[in-house]
Amino acid sequence: MATAELKLTKNQRLVLDLLCSSDAPMSAYSILDQLRSEGLRAPLQVYRALDKLIGLGVVHRLESMNAFVACAHPSCHSVEMVGFAICETCGKALEFADNDIAEILSGWASANGFAAKSTSIEIKGTCASCQQAAESASGAE
Amino acid sequence: MATAELKLTKNQRLVLDLLCSSDAPMSAYSILDQLRSEGLRAPLQVYRALDKLIGLGVVHRLESMNAFVACAHPSCHSVEMVGFAICETCGKALEFADNDIAEILSGWASANGFAAKSTSIEIKGTCASCQQAAESASGAE
DNA sequence: TCATTTGTGTAATATTATTACGTAACATAT
DNA sequence: ATATGTTACGTAATAATATTACACAAATGA
């Protein structure tokens, strides 16, 4: 986790550390619940910290889930193109990046006069391990 | 609009026709408000119709906006890969499709053992005409 | 120091989406 | 035609997600 050197406020640090320690994306309200013991009381405190962390590029928002996840590559703070493969079974999100896609998209944007600020790519489906689990379960029936 | 031949129920038809006549994505609740005069009363009626229409591929959900839009290509009912460029100024969404991206993504998926069901790509930014409007406004200040 | 920006805490409220329940319409296979 | 399964409908209540408004405090910088 290369986020230690970031200068963050207490609330921002709490939220980021929690997301880093989670193995799956979390909703704002489950973040809040986890941090009540640390003194957080209201949704806004979480949303404000998330806004800042997203701005810094160390947290991403999964649009299709209303959930948030720590960036898998905290050293490269590129907010430009981020992709996630989200498993609908276990809820985990695999982050990926692809330069070719980024180039195609920016090509499309400039061809259409669209000034792109950020791009999100989200693939929904089933991850490898959940597929295997499903197979062995159906085989064992 | 090549959706006339689709066999839809009354509620589904109402929602689809409204979305087709709208020049921008609509939220479920604004759809509901528009259709109160037609007899719709509860959110669930809208959400059910939307679920069905999305399943048919004639409506898409904009994940980052919690909004819904009629498919720009109602004849090609491919739910596989859909992309939108969403203007944060005027709220309009430009739909696009790109085979190269679809292939890269499915390549990534198979390389990672991920069984993809659906993909959404959403670019946020400013569309050409809103950029021009902003330029002339700042020039006139 | 003064002004500015950034962050904080609290309360209230707005927006989006779902669960639970019972009924009605429709297809279709006997 | 009628029993059966499936799909859709309507209503009410509630859950989940997100924002607005207001007042105050801490850090930043001229």
Side-chain angles (χ1 to χ4, degrees):
Chain A
M1 224 51 55
T3 70
E5 74 272 6
L6 280 173
K7 200 163 78 182
L8 300 175
T9 68
K10 182 189 153 219
N11 290 357
Q12 291 160 10
R13 185 93 253 161
L14 286 170
V15 170
L16 178 56
D17 286 350
L18 178 60
L19 285 176
C20 284
S21 71
S22 168
D23 71 337
M26 300 181 72
S27 76
Y29 278 76
S30 66
I31 292 171
L32 175 58
D33 286 342
Q34 295 286 311
L35 293 180
R36 280 193 197 282
S37 56
E38 306 290 337
L40 291 214
R41 293 156 180 275
L44 190 47
Q45 297 175 296
V46 173
Y47 282 109
R48 287 201 276 225
L50 287 170
D51 281 349
K52 182 69 184 203
L53 295 168
I54 290 168
L56 292 171
V58 294
V59 165
H60 298 298
R61 178 192 174 94
L62 300 187
E63 306 286 1
S64 64
M65 299 184 78
N66 297 324
F68 304 86
V69 68
C71 178
H73 317 292
S75 43
C76 83
H77 298 161
S78 100
V79 200
E80 302 317 314
M81 193 234 108
V82 191
F84 290 95
I86 302 164
C87 178
E88 291 174 319
T89 302
C90 67
K92 293 185 187 171
L94 286 161
E95 183 171 344
F96 65 87
D98 187 292
N99 245 316
D100 293 337
I101 292 178
E103 275 175 30
I104 294 172
L105 291 177
S106 81
W108 183 93
S110 64
N112 289 268
F114 191 91
K117 237 186 269 174
S118 70
T119 297
S120 103
I121 300 184
E122 300 185 14
I123 309 176
K124 293 290 197 66
T126 313
C127 71
S129 62
C130 286
Q131 284 173 67
Q132 289 168 3
E135 274 170 31
S136 38
S138 75
E141 264 168 27
Chain B
M1 224 52 54
T3 70
E5 75 271 6
L6 279 174
K7 200 163 77 183
L8 300 176
T9 66
K10 181 188 155 221
N11 290 357
Q12 291 159 11
R13 186 94 251 159
L14 286 170
V15 170
L16 179 57
D17 286 350
L18 178 59
L19 284 177
C20 285
S21 72
S22 168
D23 71 339
M26 300 182 71
S27 76
Y29 279 75
S30 67
I31 293 171
L32 176 57
D33 286 341
Q34 295 286 310
L35 293 179
R36 281 193 197 282
S37 57
E38 307 290 338
L40 292 212
R41 293 156 181 273
L44 191 47
Q45 296 174 295
V46 173
Y47 282 109
R48 286 201 276 227
L50 287 170
D51 281 349
K52 181 71 185 201
L53 295 168
I54 290 168
L56 292 171
V58 294
V59 165
H60 299 298
R61 177 193 176 95
L62 300 187
E63 305 287 359
S64 63
M65 298 184 79
N66 298 322
F68 304 87
V69 68
C71 179
H73 318 291
S75 43
C76 84
H77 297 161
S78 100
V79 199
E80 302 317 314
M81 193 233 105
V82 192
F84 290 94
I86 303 164
C87 179
E88 292 174 317
T89 302
C90 67
K92 293 185 187 173
L94 285 162
E95 183 171 345
F96 65 85
D98 186 292
N99 245 316
D100 294 337
I101 292 179
E103 276 174 29
I104 294 172
L105 290 177
S106 81
W108 183 93
S110 65
N112 289 268
F114 191 91
K117 238 187 267 174
S118 69
T119 297
S120 103
I121 299 183
E122 299 184 15
I123 308 176
K124 293 288 196 67
T126 312
C127 73
S129 62
C130 285
Q131 284 173 68
Q132 289 168 2
E135 272 169 35
S136 38
S138 75
E141 263 168 28

